[in-house]
Amino acid sequence: LALYAAKAAGKRQWRRFRPPLHDRVVRRHELQERMDAIVGNGGFALRYQPVVDLATEEVVGFEALLRWPDDPRGTVPTEQFVALAEETGQIASLGAWVLRNAAAGAARLQATTSGPAPYISVNVSARQFREADFVDQVRAALDTPGLRPGSLQLELTETVLMRRDKQIDAVVQRVKDLGVRIAVDDFGTGFSGLRYLREFPVDVLKIDKSYVDDITVDTRQFALVEGIVRIARTLGLDVIAEGIETPEQWALLTSMDCRFGQGFLFARPLVPDQAAALLDGPAPGRRP
Ligand code: C2E
Ligand code: MG
Ligand code: MG
Ligand code: MG
């Protein structure tokens, strides 16, 4: 639309805007078309990042993270194409693909271990959550052969919780009734206030990486994270610290009784075989 407006406004303006705008429009269009093709032939990929018990170093679950398939022009950042898919509505088919495949991937991972079943955590975007058949998609995912009961978690952002209405509340209640756990992703970044924690049946808070980053150098940041952990405990919620990269961060989080964590210190998002290998041996990472 912006392209046509610029064109109509006259030649000079057209020239001025043309190169960047043209590239962007073409790129968007290309991404859009390729996304349809990729969803059509199942070519996306999922990586699995372990969630670790910070005290015992056991892998308790995995977060499924979507990846654009490798292509000659380099990979496309997930945040970018997920945002585009939200805009175009393609998130409906993309999100359904993720749920199906994450459930199947989790069932395979769970089959490789005799220990407690690791759960699978799936990111759900705001628009996907409002799809008419979302609950059916969740139910279908839960019916995946081999998937252990109670091992699916959905990650919602504060944006969803901020714009709550009857429809959202009903969907959350229905998926909770199916035994699905609800996590708040990127907790602390959404300007949402804390009211929903009282009214909304949330199970898990995922403390955003931006909070975790500075806890070793910034006492105010440390105090904030400690406060979040305490609030969560009081409310009976689990806490996961995201983006742990150093042994020092790990030690501080452990000292404030933050129970779970994720981050490059323990493992990057892994291909299924690597993820399975973790379940047999001890968890990676090194105690400081
Ligand atoms: P997120 O859900 O908050 O996921 C965490 C992101 O942080 C992931 O990036 C992960 O690879 C990265 N990460 C984990 N540990 C570390 C660390 O120690 N250091 C650093 N620097 N990064 C770390 P990724 O995979 O690129 O995903 C970005 C975002 O894209 C996700 O943020 C999520 O919002 C979205 N996303 C990913 N997969 C899906 C999906 O299947 N569906 C939807 N709707 N969104 C998805
Ligand atoms: Mg997430
Ligand atoms: Mg996050
Ligand atoms: Mg994020």
Side-chain angles (χ1 to χ4, degrees):
L1 204 79
L3 182 64
Y4 293 124
K7 197 174 180 181
K11 221 173 182 178
R12 210 192 288 160
Q13 217 174 357
W14 165 248
R15 278 222 182 90
R16 182 147 51 99
F17 285 125
R18 190 173 180 275
L21 202 54
H22 176 77
D23 285 358
R24 245 170 51 208
V25 171
V26 168
R27 181 160 169 78
R28 274 176 60 97
H29 189 69
E30 249 177 42
L31 279 181
Q32 220 169 307
E33 284 194 335
R34 289 172 63 211
M35 209 150 29
D36 275 341
I38 296 167
V39 169
N41 55 37
F44 278 99
L46 289 178
R47 296 290 179 265
Y48 300 87
Q49 187 178 37
V51 179
V52 173
D53 183 317
L54 292 177
T56 65
E57 300 177 47
E58 274 165 329
V59 175
V60 295
F62 293 94
E63 177 175 5
L65 292 160
L66 187 59
R67 290 291 177 267
W68 191 264
D70 291 342
D71 68 287
R73 274 168 293 187
T75 51
V76 186
T78 304
E79 249 152 10
Q80 189 182 322
F81 73 86
V82 166
L84 179 61
E86 275 254 307
E87 269 177 58
T88 61
Q90 288 165 299
I91 194 70
S93 49
L94 186 58
W97 184 92
V98 170
L99 255 178
R100 257 196 328 272
N101 284 274
R108 281 191 293 271
L109 282 171
Q110 291 173 351
T112 66
T113 176
S114 50
Y119 64 81
I120 186 75
S121 197
V122 179
N123 293 283
V124 178
S125 70
R127 185 159 171 183
Q128 184 189 355
F129 199 73
R130 287 193 181 274
E131 292 296 328
D133 66 342
F134 181 72
V135 176
D136 293 330
Q137 288 178 24
V138 172
R139 200 175 286 121
L142 293 172
D143 281 343
T144 304
L147 186 71
R148 310 252 191 112
S151 64
L152 177 65
Q153 174 171 296
L154 298 179
E155 300 192 7
L156 305 179
T157 60
E158 288 180 312
T159 320
V160 176
L161 303 172
M162 223 159 51
R163 308 213 185 108
R164 274 177 56 209
D165 54 28
K166 282 207 173 98
Q167 190 204 348
I168 289 202
D169 285 4
V171 172
V172 168
Q173 200 47 59
R174 285 170 71 197
V175 296
K176 289 221 56 162
D177 289 346
L178 294 171
V180 173
R181 302 194 336 142
I182 304 287
V184 184
D185 203 358
D186 304 341
F187 182 76
T189 60
F191 307 106
S192 60
L194 296 175
R195 196 188 152 108
Y196 69 84
L197 289 183
R198 194 183 65 204
E199 303 167 343
F200 206 69
V202 160
D203 302 287
V204 183
L205 300 184
K206 299 192 72 172
I207 304 176
D208 192 66
K209 178 178 188 304
S210 61
Y211 283 78
V212 173
D213 278 344
D214 291 338
I215 52 169
T216 53
V217 289
D218 183 341
T219 52
R220 293 167 66 92
Q221 199 74 334
F222 178 92
L224 269 176
V225 172
E226 197 176 37
I228 294 172
V229 171
R230 199 174 307 135
I231 287 172
R233 188 181 315 118
T234 307
L235 296 176
L237 310 178
D238 276 343
V239 199
I240 303 173
E242 298 193 272
I244 304 172
E245 293 182 342
T246 70
E248 292 75 20
Q249 290 169 339
W250 181 15
L252 283 185
L253 287 162
T254 307
S255 78
M256 57 176 87
D257 282 332
C258 175
R259 177 107 193 260
F260 302 105
Q262 253 176 289
F264 293 172
L265 176 68
F266 302 103
R268 294 192 170 245
L270 306 170
V271 297
D273 282 351
Q274 294 172 316
L278 284 186
L279 292 174
D280 297 327
R286 211 160 288 284
R287 198 165 267 290

